[in-house]
Amino acid sequence: MELSRVISCAFQGIEAQTVEVEVSLSRGLPSFTIVGLPETAVKESRERVESAIKSTGFEFPLKKITVNLAPAGIKKEGTSLDLPIALGILSASGQINPTYLENTLIIGELALDGRIRTVKGVLSASILAKKNKISHMVVPLPNAKEAGVVKGAAIYPVNNLNECIKTLGKDPKEPFLVDVNEIFRETSKFDLDFSDVKGQLTAKRALEIAVAGGHNVLMIGPPGSGKTMLAKRIPTILPLMSIDEAIETTKIHSITGNLPPKISLIAKRPFRSPHHTISYAGLTGGGTYPQPGEVSLAHNGVLFLDEMPEFNRNVLEVLRQPLEDGFVTISRAKTTIAYPARFMLIGAMNPCPCGYFGDAYRECNCTPSKIDRYRSKISGPLLDRIDMHVTVGRVKYNEIMDMKAGESSESIRKRIKKCREIQEKRYKKENLYFNAHLDSKMLRKYCNIDEESKALLNSSMEKFGFSARAVDRILKMARTISDLEGKKDIESSHIAEAIQYRTLDRKLWLTK
Ligand SMILES: Nc1ncnc2c1ncn2[C@@H]1O[C@H](COP(=O)(O)OP(=O)(O)OP(=O)(O)O)[C@@H](O)[C@H]1O
Ligand SMILES: [Mg+2]
């Protein structure tokens, strides 16, 4: 019996795990079996492998072929095991030198004519190779840059089976290196800018505070007031990602096959704006073969839900877990997978179905019950996780006509960067980065206020009927506002400003 071994990997959640592809050829009726928990796409690789071997001019052994994917306990999905299986067969049948396959991690999908197609999850595979000190890695040519982001194994990019066999055993002529710094330099360029938005000073200020302290925001305003326009410019003021954050985000995009062509590393914070018809699985992740959803694709970035009440209420409810924990869990019969999902939530909505409730120029023709039904789509517990409610009013004619450009994103970003540095320093010993994530115990520790502020909070609690939770939110926002000014303590002016961003509690939008 002839035997061969090839190193490859399978994916669990967003992590890659080593899989050993064992191929044995024995006498008996010609057959080709794959064992070791292969899913449909892996079982189908038999046809691709056989055809690719034959059309490349090699011999497909007329023997009893058994492929074992070890460890047998984890499910193997996708097409990335095609190439290791084919090379395993060629090695077991003595057509290639088995030493070529030593210490080499191999992934790739085969076309019937022997071409090698791109696969998902290459970045995670490359991280695995580095972790396990594997010296070489064979990847499909289009995935080479993605693999090269991690400085670990030497990368062999290959285009087809024939070329793959020719390059195996030789050290890559030019090691595939990706200049990560160059990728980061590119990221400070944006097509949009906050200076495009005329007027809306309050909304802009609110978004600056939100980004600085990691607060979730709901923008409320009539049609055409610029909510979508403002939200789309948020990425331009987000602080740059660190390399670790970039790799974590890229892993998620790579596993879903969402990495744009020619992009090897997502170095800009993601901005995801799913349509309101999105399904439960689309938002959180899931499906028969679990895939990360929009909340995970927005990891380390922004999830923007435009026209928020149009989303299915049950779909919105699933946001509660990631907003609280920073990840989502997906349960399947045998396993539970956790996908990272730490994002800033930005919602936008009209005050009522027709959009003109509270507008000074147009009359609203919605009945109170219709308005209530519309607003109740966003449940109390979800609303509770949103620190800031911001009114985005109609822009005035003279503001629109003003030719002077407003403040640029770049200068806003500078202030935000400073503010984030202050938070980083303060929370060094806590497992925390932003004011928005302070829990009630830490709130008492870091958000002390003087008598004047206490009196102000007290009187507004009575006047507006703020709940205890709303007060916590106000304190966190006030902390951020104070940090933006570089102050040590929270002052009453900070509290007063924070109260402005609780319009829903202040019942400005009340129908009854
Ligand atoms: N403050 C502003 N400065 C410059 N242009 C603006 C402003 N507000 C709105 N506009 C213009 O109006 C268009 C519509 O704005 P936008 O789509 O952001 O409105 P919206 O508040 O999201 O409305 P809707 O509630 O209907 O979704 C923008 O594309 C822009 O051209
Ligand atoms: Mg809009």
Side-chain angles (χ1 to χ4, degrees), residues 130-394:
K130 182 177 180 182
K131 199 174 93 197
N132 291 353
K133 302 200 171 55
I134 293 173
S135 58
H136 295 84
M137 191 170 162
V138 173
V139 299
L141 183 63
N143 294 120
K145 276 192 173 168
E146 192 188 331
V149 166
V150 182
K151 308 248 164 316
I155 311 290
Y156 290 102
V158 288
N159 227 345
N160 57 55
L161 191 55
N162 231 334
E163 185 191 304
C164 172
I165 290 159
K166 276 187 197 140
T167 40
L168 271 171
K170 295 185 200 125
D171 264 317
K173 275 172 248 127
E174 293 161 23
F176 221 92
L177 284 182
V178 176
D179 184 357
V180 176
N181 293 330
E182 175 62 33
I183 300 175
F184 273 91
R185 262 195 296 281
E186 283 291 309
T187 57
S188 32
K189 294 174 197 145
F190 291 93
D191 298 334
L192 303 172
D193 198 280
F194 259 99
S195 56
D196 310 335
V197 184
K198 312 268 188 212
Q200 301 300 14
L201 295 182
T202 327
K204 282 193 206 170
R205 164 80 179 159
L207 292 178
E208 178 177 335
I209 296 168
V211 172
H215 305 282
N216 299 320
V217 185
L218 178 60
M219 291 190 276
I220 311 163
S225 54
K227 300 181 293 299
T228 307
M229 191 179 183
L230 283 161
K232 288 204 168 133
R233 282 159 181 76
I234 288 176
T236 65
I237 58 168
L238 292 170
L240 300 179
M241 282 215 266
S242 69
I243 172 91
D244 289 343
E245 282 180 309
I247 286 186
E248 209 178 32
T249 303
T250 310
K251 260 158 78 177
I252 302 171
H253 287 250
S254 161
I255 287 280
T256 52
N258 260 332
L259 214 54
K262 302 214 172 109
I263 297 269
S264 52
L265 186 73
I266 297 180
K268 267 185 199 171
R269 292 187 187 272
F271 178 84
R272 305 293 299 186
S273 52
H275 190 251
H276 56 73
T277 51
I278 191 170
S279 68
Y280 184 95
L283 193 63
T284 41
T288 326
Y289 302 113
Q291 286 273 307
E294 288 291 332
V295 291
S296 298
L297 294 172
H299 183 60
N300 287 327
V302 173
L303 181 69
F304 174 47
L305 302 182
D306 208 354
E307 322 287 348
M308 208 161 159
E310 302 291 335
F311 284 74
N312 183 320
R313 194 181 155 130
N314 295 336
V315 169
L316 283 185
E317 283 306 285
V318 297
L319 290 174
R320 284 161 59 177
Q321 190 204 8
L323 283 176
E324 198 94 327
D325 306 329
F327 59 85
V328 276
T329 42
I330 293 163
S331 300
R332 281 287 164 278
K334 290 194 194 91
T335 49
T336 306
I337 300 170
Y339 290 119
R342 178 160 290 115
F343 53 85
M344 188 180 151
L345 176 70
I346 310 284
M349 66 183 278
N350 296 130
C352 67
C354 83
Y356 293 102
F357 182 84
D359 192 272
Y361 302 93
R362 275 178 75 162
E363 207 173 329
C364 161
N365 54 21
C366 308
T367 59
S369 66
K370 218 169 140 190
I371 300 179
D372 275 349
R373 215 174 319 125
Y374 177 76
R375 298 211 193 138
S376 67
K377 285 281 203 62
I378 305 171
S379 74
L382 179 60
L383 207 53
D384 217 60
R385 285 165 175 77
I386 299 178
D387 287 350
M388 309 177 76
H389 320 144
V390 181
T391 306
V392 183
R394 185 191 278 273

